[in-house]
Amino acid sequence: MTDCDFLVVGHGIAGATLAYVLRQRGHQVLVYDPGQTNSASNVAAGLMNPVAGKRFALTWRGAELLPFAATFYRELEHRYGQAFFSEAPIFKLFSSLEEQNAVLARSADHPWGDFVAGFATTDPGLPGIHAPFGGAWLQHGGHVAVRELLAALAAEGTHAGWLRREAFDWAQLATSATGAVYAGQVRARHVICCEGAAAVRNPYFKWLPLTPNQGEVLDVECAGLSAAQVLNRGAYVVPVGGARFRVGATYRWPPFASGITAVAREELAARLSVITELPFSIVGQQAGVRPAVRDRRPLLGPHPTVPALSFCGGYGSKGVMLAPRLAVLLADWLEGHAELWPDVSLQRYQTLQSVGAGC
């Protein structure tokens, strides 16, 4: 029988950061993950954007989450001797004079703290970029090489034995008031579900209001396009090295396509063509399913009736920004040092639990 303090199911950005925090605190952690290369975390461009959406609104808890995430990823860079986090300015292109005027009018109230570095009311002349109405310069954001980060953590986990590259069978989990036993072979004090969108089929948590959506991204080559910043107008354009960029992302609600689609490729190519008039070639396309929540807030905390079981997920498209701080929050709660924030706690949806949801 293998004993551990915490058994984490899933090694996407949510599970990987949580497992790392728990291990750093001296806990024995065992992680199960089948290693799907097309998971949402592996497909994502890892963008950390302080101001998002058509309303140009400050990201939820951005003033706390962004600097925390930056420090966390730099710690991982130091540990593994690899570059994962690129702090880069984001240039949000205005699509019209009306949008420019609306944003400039709002700026008088300073609603964005120090995340907006300034505005351009005319085309700033960035190489290869078509911005006739100017835009807003955002700071303290950037992007994370999520696939490379997860690969580094997984390599360590495979070598050290705390990561098992296999699917987890929830039917083989037996729980009690003091812990859980999996497949008659692993005994854990607590089990945390970090399965991402797959949690909609989880027998313990399928009552949660997860509303997965499918997103597709393109990898393109565009010689001459400025790589000094992230671009955002209807799509993000993230530099990934050389003359390559990741362009995304689409949003598709169920039913999902099986894999990449021509419709998404044409949509993203059209969006990129609005941002640059330079020729580009598509060198890759990927699709993944995000674990979104109806109120656009993450889901953390214990199962209402199974004390040895908790949930961590529902990060949607903001996983790289949310994961570090929420991993620490959940770890603090698991250790009895903190209460979960009400706006992320599972308790806000406890009334949705059906009679048979607790297995």
Side-chain angles (χ1 to χ4, degrees):
M1 180 77 72
T2 300
D3 287 290
C4 63
D5 297 312
F6 299 102
L7 193 161
V8 177
V9 183
H11 198 250
I13 194 66
T17 51
L18 177 62
Y20 176 81
V21 169
L22 291 171
R23 286 187 292 106
Q24 290 299 105
R25 296 185 179 192
H27 298 292
Q28 293 296 316
V29 180
L30 184 61
V31 180
Y32 280 80
D33 186 273
Q36 294 178 305
T37 58
N38 64 341
S39 68
S41 292
N42 277 308
V43 171
L47 182 61
M48 298 205 311
N49 188 356
V51 179
K54 293 181 179 180
R55 293 176 53 249
F56 206 72
L58 181 64
T59 298
W60 174 75
R61 288 185 178 261
E64 176 181 7
L65 296 173
L66 281 162
F68 194 99
T71 299
F72 182 88
Y73 293 125
R74 290 191 181 107
E75 175 187 320
L76 289 176
E77 289 183 323
H78 179 74
R79 177 183 178 91
Y80 294 105
Q82 293 180 241
F84 300 126
F85 174 58
S86 299
E87 183 170 356
I90 300 172
F91 186 59
K92 165 72 173 175
L93 289 76
F94 295 140
S95 60
S96 64
L97 282 175
E98 289 76 16
E99 181 182 24
Q100 179 196 102
N101 291 333
V103 172
L104 290 175
R106 286 190 61 200
S107 69
D109 298 326
H110 303 289
W112 306 292
D114 69 339
F115 290 110
V116 176
F119 298 97
T121 55
T122 59
D123 194 324
L126 300 172
I129 297 169
H130 181 64
F133 305 108
W137 284 101
L138 311 179
Q139 60 187 356
H140 306 315
H143 49 96
V144 177
V146 184
R147 183 185 293 271
E148 291 76 6
L149 171 62
L150 295 180
L153 288 163
E156 180 186 57
T158 302
H159 181 264
W162 54 258
L163 174 62
R164 297 186 178 182
R165 280 301 196 194
E166 55 186 271
F168 189 85
D169 183 1
W170 288 95
Q172 296 193 56
L173 182 69
T175 64
S176 68
T178 57
V181 175
Y182 177 63
Q185 300 175 351
V186 176
R187 183 165 46 215
R189 182 157 53 90
H190 204 89
V191 179
I192 306 106
C193 173
C194 303
E195 293 182 296
V200 296
R201 298 183 295 274
N202 185 298
Y204 291 91
F205 292 108
K206 59 186 177 183
W207 53 274
L208 287 172
L210 286 168
T211 54
N213 62 79
Q214 187 178 54
E216 296 187 50
V217 299
L218 298 181
D219 290 320
V220 305
E221 287 187 352
C222 186
L225 181 62
S226 173
Q229 69 291 299
V230 175
L231 302 170
N232 188 348
R233 180 186 167 183
Y236 59 71
V237 182
V238 178
V240 294
R244 289 203 171 193
F245 301 84
R246 179 154 291 184
V247 182
T250 61
Y251 287 82
R252 176 179 178 144
W253 304 103
F256 297 140
S258 57
I260 62 175
T261 65
V263 171
R265 183 166 58 251
E266 292 168 2
E267 177 184 339
L268 291 173
R271 294 183 190 180
L272 179 57
S273 295
V274 171
I275 295 173
T276 181
E277 296 174 345
L278 294 173
F280 58 87
S281 58
I282 298 171
V283 296
Q285 183 176 355
Q286 300 175 76
V289 179
R290 311 176 186 90
V293 184
R294 66 174 60 167
D295 67 0
R296 299 187 181 183
R297 296 291 180 267
L299 293 165
L300 294 184
H303 189 280
T305 60
V306 185
L309 186 58
S310 289
F311 189 88
C312 175
Y315 291 178
S317 60
K318 295 181 172 59
V320 293
M321 186 176 66
L322 294 168
R325 180 65 184 93
L326 294 186
V328 170
L329 176 64
L330 185 55
D332 287 344
W333 176 82
L334 288 166
E335 293 178 335
H337 302 323
E339 294 295 324
L340 296 173
W341 302 337
D343 46 357
V344 303
S345 173
L346 261 62
Q347 290 185 356
R348 70 191 195 271
Y349 288 120
Q350 189 167 330
T351 57
L352 297 180
Q353 186 194 13
S354 63
V355 174
C359 289

